[in-house]
Amino acid sequence: KLPELTFQLEKMFRDILSADPNEKGIMKAWMGPIPVILLLKARQLKVLLESNTNITKAPPYDKISEWIGRGLLTRWTYCLISYYSIEEAGTRYNNLSTNEKWQSHRKIITPTFHVNILKEFKGVFITQGRVLADQLDHVADTGREVDIFPFLKRCTLDIISGWRSNCKTAMGTPLNAQTGGHVEYCDAVSELTNLVSEHFRKPWNWLKPLWYANGNGFKFDGLIKLCQDFTLKIIQERRRTLIEDGLLEGSAVPRKSVFIDMLLLQQASNNLSDEVIREEVDTFMFAGHDTTASAIGFTIWFLGQYPEWQKRVLEEIDAVFGGDVMRDPTEADLRQLVYLERCIKESLRLMPPVPIIGRTLTEDLEIEGVTLPKGLLVMVMPLLTHRDPEHFEHSLDYYPDHFLPEKEAARHPYAFIPFSAGPRNCIGQKFALSEEKTLLSWFFRRFSVESVEPYPGNRPIPEIVLKPSIGFPVRLFKRH
């Protein structure tokens, strides 16, 4: 079973990381018929992730691309899980597209995550955080266990998809998932992520006849159509709104345009089809909600089993908000929550939402005297690198003081990469951290928490997004 397997893998890699820090830390493994190189040390990750040429993503992103296309997350991924040789697969990657196209799309989208735009998003975080707290209020003080993971996923999906008070996010339309809206779409997104992980984890699914014979292929195709049709409908609605507002007629892009509007406003000048816009919007729908829900959930789950750390969070929350559980958090409030931020980072260290980062080399790469040839699949595993005792004194424990300012300054910059690093780092990392801090400020003003299944139980399952094996079962207690 997968949870048991994680114990074996953790021990094996812990032994490797605990060895002499001057050891190579470069491992060879096999993913089915495919040879894979694993890089474990921060100094090695730096060489790969800082490359401006080796930026081609690798499986399992290929299956996701059937849903979200070749957006920023998956562009230039080509399926290596085939009968092709490594050399031939690499050639097919290179023929698929060019790095210049990815860089062009990144340049268009980057302004939508500018710090001034992020300030506009705060209204969404605040409104949806309040709804989340109200939803959880019904299960607090009942004495029974509740899995908060579904609550968190619905909340983060509402944040990435909708707007409040004229504050738009990726999709540009509210799903109201927390209050029962668009249930079919929300369920489809959740089921699709499960099927992608199922496909990657079981090699017999890589054979298309078997994938369809067990029914997963037909289910997967139906869910894809549902989600893509929904997104295309939203694009058409947003276009009509922009036309009615007279914005598509002008040549200048408004300074505060965000995501879907930015793409539509630049559609003609950058030759973007509706399908390309759909790919980018669906990319952020997928990448922007599951990862954040995982990060918030693991933070709550850790604090629910370490009363001493939770007490410090609650004391800081009370000092900032003065016991007021209803007023909206301000930017000044959030800046003062420095200990909460350390707790979030420590959760991201031990349980990074993206546990594995893959690259397919488009040119030879030399690392510490070892030449990795073009076409090779190379994996970086933040889930393991983050536990390297060379960089973290309590490497296997939840210890928020790992992120005291002086310790962060002294640490290798690639020892902690929850949002990847280099030219293909996560474009929405500031968005995610601000969202997590806002939602957790609501949560801990209203509740204290007790985790039902403490670490090392409730195993983290390294799928595309790191998920708990049994959800986040906790008991909630009202604070005021």
Side-chain angles (χ1 to χ4, degrees):
K1 293 182 180 179
L2 196 54
E4 285 77 6
L5 178 61
T6 63
F7 280 104
Q8 298 174 24
L9 293 173
E10 181 179 349
K11 182 181 185 306
M12 179 176 67
F13 288 114
R14 187 192 308 160
D15 292 343
I16 294 169
L17 287 170
S18 298
D20 184 345
N22 293 318
E23 290 292 321
K24 290 292 183 187
I26 300 175
M27 291 184 59
K28 182 175 72 175
W30 290 86
M31 187 173 70
I34 303 168
V36 180
I37 291 296
L38 305 177
L39 303 180
L40 302 179
K41 293 292 185 178
R43 62 182 187 272
Q44 298 161 352
L45 274 54
K46 182 177 186 294
V47 178
L48 175 67
L49 297 179
E50 284 191 349
S51 172
N52 287 307
T53 52
N54 283 311
I55 60 175
T56 299
K57 291 215 172 183
Y61 303 101
D62 190 75
K63 197 64 185 175
I64 303 175
S65 70
E66 294 183 29
W67 167 22
I68 62 178
R70 304 288 174 180
L72 281 181
L73 177 67
T74 60
R75 193 167 296 281
W76 306 288
T77 301
Y78 190 83
C79 188
L80 280 176
I81 304 170
S82 64
Y83 295 106
Y84 302 122
S85 67
I86 291 296
E87 292 78 8
E88 186 178 355
T91 300
R92 289 169 179 266
Y93 263 116
N94 294 334
N95 290 339
L96 181 63
S97 191
T98 63
N99 289 351
E100 286 75 19
K101 188 180 293 185
W102 174 83
Q103 291 164 350
S104 172
H105 283 224
R106 176 92 174 203
K107 185 176 181 180
I108 293 170
I109 292 171
T110 295
T112 67
F113 288 91
H114 188 273
V115 62
N116 291 329
I117 299 295
L118 288 178
K119 291 178 181 178
E120 300 287 318
F121 293 151
K122 294 298 173 64
V124 183
F125 301 160
I126 290 169
T127 299
Q128 296 302 334
R130 182 190 293 273
V131 174
L132 172 65
D134 289 344
Q135 293 282 317
L136 292 174
D137 196 68
H138 300 300
V139 297
D141 281 349
T142 62
R144 58 188 175 89
E145 301 172 13
V146 58
D147 179 8
I148 61 172
F149 202 18
F151 291 87
L152 297 175
K153 288 198 285 187
R154 289 192 292 267
C155 179
T156 56
L157 190 58
D158 271 347
I159 285 174
I160 201 69
S161 68
W163 80 77
R164 296 293 186 275
S165 303
N166 297 320
C167 178
K168 309 178 189 74
T169 54
M171 188 74 91
T173 191
L175 289 181
N176 299 320
Q178 294 196 85
T179 53
H182 292 287
V183 174
E184 189 178 25
Y185 175 83
C186 299
D187 290 345
V189 170
S190 178
E191 184 64 17
L192 272 173
T193 57
N194 291 336
L195 285 172
V196 169
S197 298
E198 176 85 359
H199 183 274
F200 178 64
R201 192 169 65 245
K202 298 178 179 178
W204 52 89
N205 284 323
W206 305 350
L207 300 174
K208 187 171 287 188
L210 292 181
W211 177 240
Y212 281 91
N214 62 27
N216 285 334
F218 296 107
K219 183 189 296 185
F220 186 72
D221 292 347
L223 292 170
I224 285 176
K225 185 177 188 307
L226 187 155
C227 290
Q228 292 181 349
D229 287 351
F230 182 84
T231 306
L232 287 169
K233 179 182 176 183
I234 297 303
I235 290 170
Q236 293 165 3
E237 291 176 354
R238 292 302 302 159
R239 180 184 288 111
R240 282 196 294 270
T241 299
L242 292 174
I243 291 173
E244 291 171 1
D245 292 344
L247 293 175
L248 282 185
E249 299 171 359
S251 57
V253 177
R255 185 173 61 86
K256 288 192 175 183
S257 296
V258 295
F259 206 65
I260 191 171
D261 289 358
M262 177 76 77
L263 294 173
L264 286 169
L265 289 166
Q266 299 193 53
Q267 183 169 22
S269 60
N270 287 280
N271 195 29
L272 303 176
S273 66
D274 278 5
E275 182 63 15
V276 168
I277 293 175
R278 196 245 350 130
E279 290 175 357
E280 299 296 356
V281 173
D282 276 345
T283 293
F284 280 92
M285 286 293 293
F286 166 69
H289 90 279
D290 235 14
T291 52
T292 310
S294 173
I296 295 171
F298 276 117
T299 301
I300 293 171
W301 179 67
F302 272 123
L303 289 172
Q305 56 192 288
Y306 290 97
E308 67 275 26
W309 304 130
Q310 183 175 175
K311 181 183 178 185
R312 290 183 62 177
V313 167
L314 298 181
E315 288 173 348
E316 181 180 72
I317 290 278
D318 290 345
V320 171
F321 292 97
D324 189 336
V325 300
M326 298 306 294
R327 76 170 175 84
D328 292 346
T330 66
E331 186 65 30
D333 294 330
L334 297 177
R335 281 197 300 269
Q336 294 181 67
L337 300 178
V338 293
Y339 188 75
L340 176 61
E341 184 170 323
R342 293 211 294 270
C343 290
I344 293 171
K345 288 181 176 179
E346 180 67 350
S347 297
L348 291 172
R349 181 185 74 84
L350 283 174
M351 305 294 181
V354 180
I356 302 172
I357 300 168
R359 295 285 187 272
T360 298
L361 301 184
T362 53
E363 61 179 39
D364 291 354
L365 181 69
E366 184 170 321
I367 298 180
E368 299 179 350
V370 177
T371 299
L372 305 180
K374 173 183 175 179
L376 188 65
L377 175 58
V378 181
M379 293 287 193
V380 168
M381 305 185 75
L383 184 65
L384 301 175
T385 302
H386 288 181
R387 298 165 188 240
D388 190 341
E390 181 182 356
H391 302 291
F392 298 96
E393 57 188 305
H394 302 281
S395 61
L396 301 179
D397 300 327
Y398 185 79
Y399 185 72
D401 284 352
H402 280 142
F403 291 93
L404 287 167
E406 62 272 19
K407 292 185 178 181
E408 284 192 279
R411 187 176 298 130
H412 192 292
Y414 281 74
F416 178 66
I417 53 165
F419 300 101
S420 189
R424 291 215 68 161
N425 68 339
C426 174
I427 195 173
Q429 58 184 285
K430 291 182 179 178
F431 181 104
L433 282 172
S434 180
E435 176 182 351
E436 291 160 19
K437 205 170 183 180
T438 303
L439 296 186
L440 287 167
S441 75
W442 273 114
F443 181 90
F444 284 110
R445 268 194 289 166
R446 301 274 288 271
F447 313 106
S448 61
V449 60
E450 176 185 291
S451 296
V452 173
E453 182 66 33
Y455 188 79
N458 194 12
R459 300 299 293 169
I461 304 300
E463 298 180 349
I464 296 166
V465 173
L466 193 71
K467 295 181 178 179
S469 58
I470 58 171
F472 293 114
V474 298
R475 295 187 184 90
L476 297 179
F477 306 94
K478 296 179 183 180
R479 298 191 59 222
H480 299 282

